[in-house]
Amino acid sequence: MGLRKFLDKIKPSFQEGGKLHAFRSVFDGFETFMYVPNDTAKAKGAHIHDAIDSKRIMSFVVIALTPALLFGMWNVGHWHYIANGEQDPAFWSSFFYGLAAVLPKIVVSYLVGLGIEFTVAQWKNEEIHEGFLVSGILIPMIVPINCPLWIIAIATAFAVIFAKEVFGGTGMNIFNVALVTRAFLFFSYPSTMSGDKVWVNQNYMDCITGVSGNVDSYTAATPLGQIAAGDPVSTSFMDTITGVMPGSIGETSVIAIALGACLLLVTGVASWKTMLSVFVGGALMAFIFKDKVTDNFEWYEHLTVGGFCFGAVFMATDPVTSARTECGKWIYGFLIGVMAVIIRVLNPGYPEGMMLAILLMNVFAPLIDYCVVQSNINKRAKRAIKVKED
Amino acid sequence: MGKLFSKENGEVFKSPLNLNNPIAVQVLGICSALAVTSQLKPAIVMGLSVTVITAFSNVIISLIRKTIPNRIRIIVQLVVVAALVTIVSNILKAYVYDVSVQLSVYVGLIITNCILMGRLEAFAMMNGPWESFLDGIANGLGYAIILVIVGFVRELLGFGSIFGFQIIPDSWLLDNGGGYLHNGMMTMPAMALILLACVIWAHRAYNKDKIQ
């Protein structure tokens, strides 16, 4: 193949003594991204051998995210034309408008994140970690369309440095990097992350520079925003399933997210236990609080509005930050669902609780694992003592 | 020791400012450093208050160190510190009332500041008044330096001002037609912790070989 030949041809100049040695880790990163490396660990010792490496796993997640992303683009364009007075916007023009509006966010997120990763890898003389492949696409999907680009750049830089690199890079982070980005945006620049003007892009420039609170622009509240304000919810249950409603770019459509979830489950990248238990926990808690919500909102709609599905499928199942023991996954997911609904219903300040719930449980995941492992050890120890006594 | 400005005394004064900094190296007094640094002015007032209190409590304890019964020394130290804190707190209320309102309980909480008890126990109980005075001033200033650095960044990015003077003009703000927004997290203690960590990080990276 042409690409393989080209890579082999330029390889020597990146190796020790070559004139482009300084960019060795960049080259390595691209080569292993394009091709599975030939040299694997020796077939000795206790390592688990598998043909799939972490770059391939990351690619699966990116593919799984694509339906939600494409739908999000169409949704952005759809609401743009509705905000500008069109009753029935055409499909393709909606999609292409959304593409043009979302693309800058993706580019900024990848440029900043990968820039920092490459610099750190080069500086520490390490291989480039592939973790940002997924974070970089997640970040634009969990922000409102009118979030200014420079703010996304700052938040991405903050998250990559303080949530990931200081802990030792990919695979070592305690918190989900994309969620830290969102948390930083949420607490630092609340006016760009909530309210009723950020969800619908009326003028194109708003998605680059942000929308001013003083300008008289189109307003559209998310269902959760309406609940927080005490207004009746205007979105029907069907719309929350299909996703034709205002919201963060990738989070609105349950159907598109379900497609991604299927791929993740079939390929075994994400754990079905975590995913299922998030929904169980959320449903249980929503049912308990079913008298505490506004009109036109059934308890089960908690599972379809806001970032609940997106968080359950793509954030809670992050293999690095979630619990790793099988029993721990049930507890971890269940508590995420419970916490998310508790925050939504009981906390007047934050309409959406999914982000905070997952970040909170990220902290507890190692503790859950520790307890699960310890209880197993104790159980076995007791059994051993019993056998001895008999 | 004898001489007032001997080499040993110079060392007593210099080390808390850099290589033995109470915040950056000993990691003491973090709570108040997070609480009062959202703006520069309260940060400086707090730094100066701690400096004054540390210096004079050091001197007083050092003067009476030989008469304090060992078993009740902590109580004696606390009484001295509490008296000084009350004096400083009342002076602040009298002359800079707005800052004292901003500092609220944190002036009173200087009593529990680990730096103070640490210096009294570790230095004033076994050194003369003049050395203790230098040590108190230096530790207070070492604390103040970090507060000023953190307060400067937090006020600039969180409010767009320095000492209350607007540095970033209002016309830059998004609501007024510009594109800029103040960083709300800078006004919260969480960000102070991260900034503090950055200061410690930079300090340790710079003095790699000198700090154990």
Side-chain angles (χ1 to χ4, degrees):
Chain A
M1 280 168 74
L3 183 62
R4 182 70 257 179
K5 272 186 191 154
F6 174 69
L7 286 176
D8 285 339
K9 202 178 113 194
I10 62 171
K11 198 168 187 174
S13 55
F14 288 98
Q15 277 160 351
E16 199 78 45
K19 58 185 172 195
L20 291 172
H21 180 59
F23 297 101
R24 177 185 49 82
S25 53
V26 178
F27 175 79
D28 266 0
F30 278 114
E31 192 194 13
T32 50
F33 181 69
M34 298 297 179
Y35 293 100
V36 180
N38 287 327
D39 42 332
T40 48
K42 297 258 165 26
K44 275 183 193 168
H47 311 297
I48 298 170
H49 284 261
D50 194 347
I52 194 162
D53 63 0
S54 63
K55 283 194 178 69
R56 251 44 65 176
I57 287 184
M58 301 285 177
S59 317
F60 272 122
V61 182
V62 172
I63 295 169
L65 281 162
T66 317
L69 181 64
L70 294 179
F71 181 86
M73 288 173 177
W74 173 81
N75 198 30
V76 165
H78 180 76
W79 284 96
H80 164 77
Y81 286 115
I82 286 182
N84 285 318
E86 274 187 50
Q87 289 304 319
D88 201 14
F91 178 82
W92 284 111
S93 55
S94 292
F95 177 76
F96 283 118
Y97 181 84
L99 180 70
V102 176
L103 209 54
K105 287 189 165 48
I106 301 176
V107 171
V108 165
S109 143
Y110 270 121
L111 271 185
V112 173
L114 288 180
I116 294 172
E117 291 248 327
F118 280 29
T119 316
V120 171
Q122 197 65 56
W123 176 44
K124 289 163 94 179
N125 224 1
E126 283 174 356
E127 271 182 60
I128 288 176
H129 296 308
E130 45 283 281
F132 197 75
L133 272 183
V134 173
S135 306
I137 195 88
L138 280 172
I139 291 166
M141 292 176 76
I142 52 177
V143 297
I145 182 66
N146 285 346
C147 191
L149 292 184
W150 69 273
I151 283 176
I152 292 181
I154 290 178
T156 308
F158 174 86
V160 172
I161 294 172
F162 287 100
K164 194 161 158 194
E165 293 304 340
V166 294
F167 288 105
T170 302
M172 310 291 233
N173 46 317
I174 298 174
F175 299 105
N176 185 310
V177 177
L179 277 181
V180 171
T181 311
R182 192 178 201 282
F184 181 85
L185 289 168
F186 185 77
F187 288 110
S188 294
Y189 304 104
S191 65
T192 65
M193 292 300 284
S194 51
D196 48 12
K197 285 183 181 168
V198 296
W199 308 108
V200 173
N201 176 263
Q202 191 177 17
N203 309 308
Y204 183 74
M205 280 314 284
D206 287 350
C207 75
I208 308 285
T209 58
V211 63
S212 155
N214 297 337
V215 178
D216 203 22
S217 64
Y218 187 82
T219 59
T222 60
L224 287 170
Q226 288 171 332
I227 294 172
D231 299 334
V233 175
S234 57
T235 316
S236 73
F237 180 60
M238 254 344 269
D239 283 347
T240 65
I241 296 279
T242 56
V244 190
M245 62 173 175
S248 296
I249 294 165
E251 71 172 16
T252 56
S253 172
V254 176
I255 296 173
I257 293 168
L259 283 177
C262 288
L263 180 72
L264 289 185
L265 292 180
V266 167
T267 53
V269 172
S271 155
W272 63 273
K273 291 173 186 167
T274 317
M275 229 183 260
L276 180 66
S277 54
V278 175
F279 283 103
V280 170
L284 181 78
M285 217 56 211
F287 186 72
I288 290 172
F289 284 130
K290 72 178 191 303
D291 298 329
K292 286 204 71 165
V293 289
T294 31
D295 307 337
N296 302 335
F297 194 78
E298 298 295 333
W299 60 271
Y300 49 80
E301 285 183 68
H302 265 301
L303 304 184
T304 58
V305 297
F308 197 94
C309 283
F310 194 83
V313 172
F314 296 111
M315 304 289 195
T317 56
D318 174 0
V320 176
T321 56
S322 76
R324 292 170 196 205
T325 51
E326 295 305 310
C327 179
K329 282 176 186 167
W330 287 108
I331 304 170
Y332 170 82
F334 183 78
L335 288 177
I336 287 179
V338 167
M339 287 308 300
V341 176
I342 288 182
I343 295 170
R344 278 183 185 180
V345 177
L346 294 185
N347 190 323
Y350 309 132
E352 171 60 301
M354 202 57 189
M355 168 188 83
L356 298 168
I358 298 176
L359 284 175
L360 181 71
M361 291 318 294
N362 281 173
V363 182
F364 283 104
L367 182 67
I368 294 172
D369 281 344
Y370 178 82
C371 292
V372 169
V373 170
Q374 279 302 320
S375 77
N376 195 31
I377 290 174
N378 290 347
K379 211 162 62 187
R380 280 165 165 254
K382 261 185 206 155
R383 202 164 59 199
I385 291 167
K386 213 176 161 193
V387 168
K388 226 179 187 178
E389 281 170 353
D390 290 346
Chain B
M1 293 215 177
K3 279 187 221 153
L4 284 188
F5 297 102
S6 63
K7 208 177 167 196
E8 289 84 15
N9 285 355
E11 203 47 47
V12 164
F13 190 77
K14 260 190 296 187
S15 86
L17 295 181
N18 186 14
L19 291 181
N20 202 12
N21 188 291
I23 294 188
V25 179
Q26 299 174 17
V27 199
L28 295 175
I30 298 292
C31 312
S32 54
L34 303 187
V36 301
T37 51
S38 73
Q39 274 156 304
L40 203 46
K41 203 167 155 192
I44 288 180
V45 172
M46 182 73 180
L48 287 180
S49 307
V50 170
T51 308
V52 169
I53 294 170
T54 322
F56 285 100
S57 62
N58 260 4
V59 170
I60 294 171
I61 292 295
S62 170
L63 282 172
I64 60 174
R65 70 183 188 276
K66 284 170 188 154
T67 57
I68 303 175
N70 203 29
R71 288 169 67 182
I72 59 161
R73 67 182 195 284
I74 302 276
I75 295 178
V76 175
Q77 289 163 3
L78 270 181
V79 168
V80 170
V81 174
L84 286 166
V85 167
T86 313
I87 294 170
V88 166
S89 168
N90 281 322
I91 290 174
L92 290 184
K93 270 186 198 140
Y95 291 99
V96 277
Y97 184 72
D98 53 329
V99 177
S100 115
V101 168
Q102 267 182 307
L103 289 173
S104 67
V105 295
Y106 293 100
V107 175
L109 284 178
I110 294 177
I111 299 173
T112 60
N113 196 319
C114 318
I115 297 173
L116 269 137
M117 295 306 286
R119 289 338 287 170
L120 293 178
E121 276 286 293
F123 199 91
M125 287 300 284
M126 51 198 91
N127 284 291
W130 172 247
E131 290 84 31
S132 300
F133 178 74
L134 283 182
D135 180 74
I137 293 269
N139 272 287
L141 288 179
Y143 171 82
I145 292 171
I146 308 289
L147 254 61
V148 166
I149 295 172
V150 175
F152 176 83
V153 177
R154 284 182 73 186
E155 186 171 354
L156 183 64
L157 298 180
F159 298 95
S161 60
I162 298 292
F163 283 117
F165 294 113
Q166 210 65 32
I167 300 289
I168 293 165
D170 271 344
S171 59
W172 285 17
L173 293 183
L174 189 58
D175 281 353
N176 301 330
Y180 186 76
L181 281 167
H182 294 314
N183 188 326
M185 200 136 115
M186 282 290 172
T187 62
M188 299 180 200
M191 206 61 187
L193 194 63
I194 290 170
L195 285 176
L196 210 55
C198 291
V199 171
I200 293 176
W201 184 6
H203 185 252
R204 295 207 172 170
Y206 185 71
N207 298 307
K208 222 177 212 164
D209 324 318
K210 293 174 193 156
I211 302 170
Q212 298 90 14

